[in-house]
Every structure is written in structure tokens, then in C-alpha cells.
Amino acid sequence: MRLDEYPDPPPPTRLKQQNERLQAELASCQQALRLLEARLTEAKVRLGMISRIVQDADRTRRAPAVSFAAVRAALYVQPDRLRDLGADLPIL
């Protein structure tokens, strides 16, 4: 086989550009993953709060409106206020 039969290697700038593009795509995917993990954690906290509220059967029978308000508060409270909200704090 002769040397002129082999294809030329790609120029280094093309490889560098591809590497930069892949690094940017990786950074974007990592950022999206962190955002989704934060949303999943938030959903778990909300579900845990709702679970504690509905497990209190006596309170639910005595005051269904209060329990309903507590569930609504757990669903719709702003994420930064989640830690301020507890099962005993039904209305914000």
C-alpha cells in the first residue's frame, strides 16, 4: 500500500471545535440534570407533607376543610417556603 492511499487525518482545529461543542453539550446536560434533581426533591418533600396530613385520620374527620387547606398549601407553596410549612401549619 502506498502512502497516498491513506486518508488525511482531520485537522486539529476541527477536533478542537468538536471537543468544545461536546463539552458545552455536557455542561448543558449536567445543568438540566441538576434542575430535574431539584424538582424531584421538591416533589418528594411535597408528597411527604401530604402523606403526613392525610395519615392523621382524626384531624381529617374533625376538620376536613383544614386538612384540605393543608394539602393545598403543600401543593402550591413556593419552593423557598417549603421548609417553613409543616403538617401543623395548614394555611400560609
Side-chain angles (χ1 to χ4, degrees), residues 53 59 63-72 90-91:
I53 293 166
R59 175 180 169 177
V66 173
S67 295
F68 181 74
V71 169
R72 285 185 55 82
I91 301 173

Side-chain angles (χ1 to χ4, degrees), residues 2-50:
R2 296 183 342 212
L3 284 177
D4 60 346
E5 292 178 11
Y6 289 105
D8 292 335
T13 57
R14 201 168 84 193
L15 288 177
K16 185 178 177 183
Q17 289 171 345
Q18 184 179 14
N19 190 22
E20 289 172 354
R21 182 187 58 79
L22 289 173
Q23 286 177 344
E25 187 176 337
L26 176 64
S28 174
C29 289
Q30 287 173 332
Q31 182 180 6
L33 178 62
R34 283 191 297 271
L35 176 64
L36 289 173
E37 285 175 338
R39 291 179 65 192
L40 178 62
T41 300
E42 177 187 326
K44 285 180 181 179
V45 168
R46 291 177 191 273
L47 184 59
M49 292 173 64
I50 292 169

Side-chain angles (χ1 to χ4, degrees), residues 45 49 52 77-87 89 92:
V45 168
M49 292 173 64
R52 285 193 306 270
V77 69
Q78 295 295 322
D80 58 339
R81 302 252 344 253
L82 268 175
R83 70 177 78 98
D84 299 336
L85 188 65
L89 191 68
L92 299 177

